Amino acid sequence: MNKLILDDLVARKINQGIQLLQGQDFKNFSLNDQVVGLYNSKQDFLGTAYLSSQNKGIGWLISRDQVHLDEDFFIDLLTRARQKRQAYENDELTTAYRLFNQEGDHLGGLSIDRYGSYALFSWYNSYIYSLRDVIIAAFKQVYPELLGGYEKIRFKGLTYESAHCYGQEAPDTFTILENGVHYRVFLDDGLMTGIFLDQHEVRLSLINGLALGKSVLNMFSYTAAFSIAAAMGGASDTTSVDLAKRSRELSRAHFEANSLDLTHHQLMVMDVFDYYRYAKRRGLSYDLIILDPPSFARNKKQTFSVVKDYHKLISQAVEILNPEGTIIASTNASNVSVEQFQQELEKGFGRIKHRYLDLKQLPADFTVNKADKRSNYLKVYTIKVE
Ligand code: SAH
C-alpha cells in the first residue's frame, strides 16, 4: 500500500472528519485508482483512503483505521447501513429508499437504492467500479431477499451508463410505493429512474396537508412526482411544466398508477420562463408553486445556473402567486450553501413580504457526513408570501 504524506492543512481536514480528498490540496500528484495509507508530516497514521478522480475530488477517506477492502469489510459496512434504515424497512407503505449513501455510510463514491425488490448501484469513479464484484457479493449476503440489481456508471470512460448487474431482471417499468403513493419506475433506461428518492420528505409534506385544496404549479416537473403527491394530498388542480417531451408520458404513468383522473392535472412541455409569460398572458395564478431546477442546465436559448439565476425563478413566481400563497424552493446544488441559497431567494423576493416556514435537507436514508456540510446537498425552503 502506498503511503501518502499529507501537509498540515489536509491532515487537519482529515482530523475534522472530512472524507473528500480534493485535487487542489495535493501538489505533484500522480497516484490514481488505488488504496493508500494517509500520514501526517510526523509519520503518524491518519487513515485509509482510496484515490480515484471523479467529478468532485480525487478520492475518499474510508476509515481512520487500517482496513482491507475485502468481502467481510463490505458486509460489515452494508450491515451497519442496513441497521440505520430499519424504520424504512418496517414501513409497509414505502418500498423505495436509499440503502447506502456514500460518505454518510463511510464510503464515498458508492450509493445503493432499493426499488421494490431490486437494488440500484451507482458507481461514481473507476476505482469503486473496479470493486463491484466484491461489493455486489457482499450486498447479496446482507440483502438475500432482494431479487436482482442494476447499475449506473456516473464517471467517464466506459462504453455504457446503465446495465443489469446481478440476479433476476426487473420488468422494464414497475411500480414502487412511497408513503402509500404509487410511482412508475425503470431501472435500465439512462441514468434516471422516474423518481428522485431524495425528495421523499417534500412529497410527504404535500400529501400531509401542504397541498390540500390548493392549485399547484410544479416547475421543472420531470415525471411530475410532486404533482402526484400534491394530488394525493387533495390539491384542487396541478400544472406540471418541463421542457423534456418525454416528461409527459412518464408523468401520465405516475398519475395512472394512482388511478388519478387527468382532468384537473395539466402536463405542459415548455420552458419554465416561457410558461411564466404564458400564465401571465392568460391571467393564470396558483396557491402553491414548486421550483426544483437542475443545478445547471443549457437549452437552445439560455443557460440556467442556481447561483446566478434562481432569483429570477422567485421574482417571476411571485407575479403569478395568489395572495397568501406558498413557494417551495428547492436546489440540489452541492456548491451552494444554505446561506448562499437563502441570499439568492432574498434577491428574488426583493421587497415582497415573506416568511420562511421550513427548511428540509436530506432525509434520514440519505445519510450525510455531519463534519462536511457539502454532503447535505439538498436544500428545500417552504416560504409563505404575504
Ligand atoms: N422536480 C423533479 C425533478 C426535476 S429534474 C422531481 O421532483 O422529480 C430537472 C428537470 O428540469 C428535468 O426534467 C429537465 O428536463 C427540466 N428542465 C431543465 N431546464 C428546463 C427549463 N428551462 N424549463 C423547463 N424544464 C427544464
Side-chain angles (χ1 to χ4, degrees):
M1 200 195 306
N2 271 311
K3 264 189 173 183
L4 194 59
I5 312 289
L6 306 179
D7 65 32
D8 292 349
L9 176 79
V10 190
R12 210 172 310 133
K13 284 190 189 175
I14 298 293
N15 285 328
Q16 279 165 7
I18 306 277
Q19 296 177 39
L20 181 64
L21 306 178
Q22 290 183 285
Q24 73 232 32
D25 288 339
F26 294 86
K27 289 169 226 99
N28 306 321
F29 197 71
S30 60
L31 300 176
N32 199 22
D33 283 343
Q34 57 184 273
V35 174
V36 291
L38 303 180
Y39 293 81
N40 66 15
S41 54
K42 291 185 208 123
Q43 301 283 334
D44 302 320
F45 177 79
L46 295 181
T48 309
Y50 77 88
L51 302 174
S52 190
S53 47
Q54 62 173 74
N55 71 338
K56 53 175 173 188
I58 57 155
W60 296 96
L61 175 80
I62 306 166
S63 171
R64 299 303 302 271
D65 298 323
Q66 300 266 11
V67 293
H68 296 284
L69 303 189
D70 53 15
E71 193 168 321
D72 285 345
F73 172 80
F74 290 114
I75 287 176
D76 178 54
L77 208 59
L78 291 163
T79 303
R80 280 190 282 142
R82 182 169 189 168
Q83 280 158 2
K84 292 185 209 166
R85 289 154 175 94
Q86 287 303 307
Y88 294 95
E89 217 167 280
N90 296 336
D91 176 0
E92 285 175 8
L93 297 178
T94 298
T95 63
Y97 51 92
R98 181 146 290 195
L99 299 176
F100 189 91
N101 194 40
Q102 304 231 32
E103 49 185 320
D105 290 298
H106 306 285
L107 186 63
L110 170 67
S111 69
I112 310 172
D113 295 316
R114 177 179 161 203
Y115 284 87
S117 299
Y118 299 89
L120 182 69
F121 298 80
S122 294
W123 316 107
Y124 284 84
N125 60 60
S126 49
Y127 186 72
I128 202 79
Y129 178 77
S130 75
L131 300 175
R132 64 200 273 282
D133 289 349
V134 62
I135 292 175
I136 291 171
F139 183 83
K140 288 199 284 194
Q141 302 271 329
V142 178
Y143 285 96
E145 70 275 37
L146 295 190
L147 302 177
Y150 285 78
E151 61 183 350
K152 303 294 180 196
I153 312 301
R154 292 186 172 274
F155 61 94
K156 294 197 181 68
L158 296 190
T159 54
Y160 71 103
E161 60 179 10
S162 173
H164 174 250
C165 66
Y166 86 85
Q168 283 183 31
E169 289 188 18
D172 285 348
T173 68
F174 59 98
T175 304
I176 55 101
L177 264 182
E178 182 192 273
N179 296 309
V181 179
H182 298 83
Y183 297 94
R184 296 290 291 174
V185 298
F186 38 91
L187 297 186
D188 198 11
D189 187 358
L191 291 176
M192 314 257 257
T193 61
I195 191 162
F196 286 98
L197 295 178
D198 55 1
Q199 294 278 17
H200 66 76
E201 288 185 347
V202 179
R203 287 188 288 270
L204 183 61
S205 71
L206 291 167
I207 298 167
N208 278 350
L210 193 56
L212 186 63
K214 290 182 180 157
S215 62
V216 177
L217 175 62
N218 179 8
M219 296 295 228
F220 305 93
S221 58
Y222 179 44
T223 60
F226 287 138
S227 306
I228 310 297
M232 296 304 278
S236 60
D237 56 272
T238 71
T239 301
S240 304
V241 181
D242 198 290
L243 199 55
K245 282 207 184 66
R246 215 183 147 209
S247 65
R248 192 196 291 271
E249 60 176 287
L250 296 176
S251 304
R252 201 174 284 145
H254 282 333
F255 277 105
E256 282 165 5
N258 294 288
S259 310
L260 287 165
D261 176 357
L262 275 162
T263 317
H264 300 289
H265 304 290
Q266 293 227 40
L267 304 172
M268 308 291 282
V269 175
M270 222 190 240
D271 174 272
V272 295
F273 289 102
D274 289 341
Y275 189 79
Y276 279 132
R277 277 188 283 276
Y278 169 93
K280 272 185 261 178
R281 234 178 17 242
R282 300 202 162 201
L284 302 174
S285 63
Y286 302 89
D287 303 319
L288 172 62
I289 299 180
I290 304 168
L291 305 169
D292 182 28
S295 303
F296 184 80
R298 184 178 291 136
N299 67 29
K300 280 175 220 134
K301 285 186 262 173
Q302 61 209 339
T303 59
F304 175 89
S305 103
V306 171
V307 218
K308 276 192 356 275
D309 302 312
Y310 210 109
H311 69 98
K312 295 178 205 159
L313 290 176
I314 296 287
S315 56
Q316 299 271 313
V318 166
E319 289 188 38
I320 55 167
L321 189 68
N322 289 333
E324 296 288 305
T326 305
I327 291 179
I328 296 180
S330 170
T331 180
N332 59 7
S334 59
N335 62 333
V336 178
S337 68
V338 170
E339 294 74 22
Q340 280 171 311
F341 185 45
Q342 196 174 357
Q343 269 172 25
E344 186 65 19
L345 299 179
E346 284 303 303
K347 189 168 162 193
F349 284 114
R351 292 171 178 280
I352 289 160
K353 244 182 122 184
H354 58 284
R355 220 161 15 100
Y356 292 88
L357 300 184
D358 179 44
L359 169 65
K360 283 195 175 43
Q361 292 208 254
L362 285 173
D365 50 333
F366 282 70
T367 46
V368 299
N369 175 7
K370 291 202 180 72
D372 190 346
K373 279 190 187 161
R374 294 170 298 184
S375 68
N376 201 346
Y377 59 82
L378 186 69
K379 297 157 272 281
V380 189
Y381 274 113
T382 305
I383 309 151
K384 188 98 190 161
V385 182
E386 284 158 21

